[in-house]
Amino acid sequence: MFSIIIPAYNESKVIIPTLESILFDEFICNSEILVVTNACYDNTVEVVENYKIDNRSRLETREVVLTIIDTPVASKTNAINLGIEHSSYQARVLLDADILISGKDLHTLHSKMLQNNALVASPKVAFNYQRSNFWVSHYYRVASQSNYNRFLRISNVIALSSEAIARLGKLPKIIADDDYIRRQFIQSEKLVVDECQFEFVCPLNVTSLLKALTRVKIGNLQLAKIAYLKDQSSVPLINHGDSNKPGLLSLTIFSSIKLIVLLRAKWQLITGNIPVWERDESSRT
């Protein structure tokens, strides 16, 4: 038994596939799903309410409670805090609203976290860049093979034990919520579970990629000033002996995009012209 918390900001296009991916294989039973809509100006709330009505018998049979919490505060961390506050079970899974993962994989994630006495855990990530353009595809050929993404990534889908919840307390108002959570635990307390995975649909074009990465970079720059970082172990980007090591072209494109993102983030910070919400919209169509 665990609670699945899904913060949702204008996610009417993707929330139903996300819910279906969780419930389709019927592994999730005796649990709850909390969709926390925050300052939505689209019809996300209505879409989830209609889904709940249409699937009432299905949910009741499997004893899955689907709850909608609506807040006018446009903050993902506030939405997470509300979800944790209103959840019924000690263990929670934080799930981004645009991420596809099966109920079986969520069940495996939770079980492996408990079996390994980990405090936090994430599945392995599978990057889907089949529809992405030339530049984005080459960027993710490097990113997908990085040691962080292969072995250390705690992001997008995060299982939290009751001890982890107690340690975290209320999340502060920050952009980089996943990285904030990850940095509150030393490596021995974290687990990336090889036996389950989720799909990350990559941006389709460079403009969308730059928007998403700039927000991440600003979040990390902000985080460096306010978070108590317990685990600062560094790892090389790519293992040099890896047979799947990306080629020179991909590495050049990756490095160039990273540099542009850094300059763009610093310019926004210097000028104070930071968008309220800048994310990849291309993959949500």
Side-chain angles (χ1 to χ4, degrees):
M1 297 181 184
F2 53 91
S3 302
I4 303 167
I5 300 169
I6 308 176
Y9 173 76
N10 293 339
E11 300 288 13
S12 60
K13 295 177 182 178
V14 298
I15 191 64
I16 298 305
T18 297
L19 291 172
E20 274 300 301
S21 70
I22 297 170
L23 296 170
F24 179 77
D25 58 11
E26 300 188 0
F27 267 82
I28 299 299
C29 300
N30 301 310
S31 298
E32 66 177 353
I33 302 171
L34 300 98
V35 179
V36 188
T37 54
N38 53 106
C40 295
Y41 54 82
D42 70 350
N43 63 334
T44 301
V45 174
E46 181 183 352
V47 167
V48 179
E49 286 176 342
N50 289 336
Y51 181 85
K52 181 177 179 179
I53 292 170
D54 294 342
N55 293 272
R56 178 176 296 160
S57 176
R58 177 187 181 193
L59 293 168
E60 288 178 351
T61 299
R62 290 159 58 184
E63 298 184 48
V64 175
V65 177
L66 174 57
T67 302
I68 305 163
I69 302 172
D70 190 33
T71 173
V73 180
S75 165
K76 185 180 177 183
T77 52
N78 181 68
I80 292 171
N81 289 334
L82 284 173
I84 291 174
E85 179 184 342
H86 288 85
S87 55
S88 303
Y89 301 113
Q90 289 189 332
R92 282 87 160 183
V93 176
L94 308 181
L95 175 63
D96 287 355
D98 59 338
I99 294 298
L100 301 179
I101 185 168
S102 69
K104 180 180 180 181
D105 280 346
L106 284 179
H107 188 273
T108 300
L109 175 68
H110 177 248
S111 298
K112 291 293 181 181
M113 179 182 69
L114 297 180
Q115 290 171 15
N116 289 275
N117 295 315
L119 301 188
V120 296
S122 283
K124 295 202 75 169
V125 56
F127 291 96
N128 180 351
Y129 49 88
Q130 294 180 348
R131 294 190 298 141
S132 302
N133 68 14
F134 174 85
W135 306 101
V136 178
S137 296
H138 276 283
Y139 174 86
Y140 279 105
R141 286 178 190 177
V142 177
S144 64
Q145 292 300 311
S146 73
N147 287 323
Y148 168 73
N149 281 320
R150 291 171 66 188
F151 308 118
L152 303 172
R153 181 184 175 111
I154 302 292
S155 186
N156 300 110
V157 186
I158 305 177
L160 298 168
S161 66
S162 57
E163 185 177 342
I165 293 293
R167 181 184 299 182
L168 287 170
K170 287 204 173 215
L171 300 185
K173 187 177 181 181
I174 52 172
I175 295 173
D177 53 287
D178 288 353
D179 214 32
Y180 176 84
I181 293 172
R182 180 178 67 85
R183 296 189 188 201
Q184 305 312 305
F185 303 91
I186 60 175
Q187 194 56 43
S188 62
E189 297 172 326
K190 298 179 285 192
L191 178 68
V192 176
V193 181
D194 292 337
E195 292 85 352
C196 57
Q197 71 173 22
F198 68 92
E199 181 182 81
F200 180 90
V201 180
C202 302
L204 305 189
N205 54 64
V206 175
T207 300
S208 294
L209 177 63
L210 290 176
K211 286 182 178 181
L213 292 180
T214 299
R215 182 173 177 82
V216 171
K217 177 57 69 175
I218 290 175
N220 288 337
L221 292 173
Q222 176 194 55
L223 192 60
K225 297 179 180 179
I226 66 172
Y228 173 54
L229 313 181
K230 292 185 65 176
D231 186 16
Q232 283 295 287
S233 56
S234 60
V235 294
L237 177 65
I238 300 289
N239 291 331
H240 294 291
D242 197 330
S243 59
N244 294 320
K245 186 174 65 174
L248 180 60
L249 176 61
S250 297
L251 287 167
T252 302
I253 291 174
F254 176 87
S255 300
S256 299
I257 289 175
K258 282 290 192 182
L259 177 59
I260 293 170
V261 166
L262 176 61
L263 295 174
R264 192 170 185 264
K266 287 192 172 183
W267 176 254
Q268 288 184 6
L269 288 169
I270 291 171
T271 61
N273 186 27
I274 303 174
V276 175
W277 188 266
E278 201 173 33
R279 68 181 183 185
D280 166 40
E281 297 289 350
S282 63
S283 61
R284 286 173 163 81
T285 57

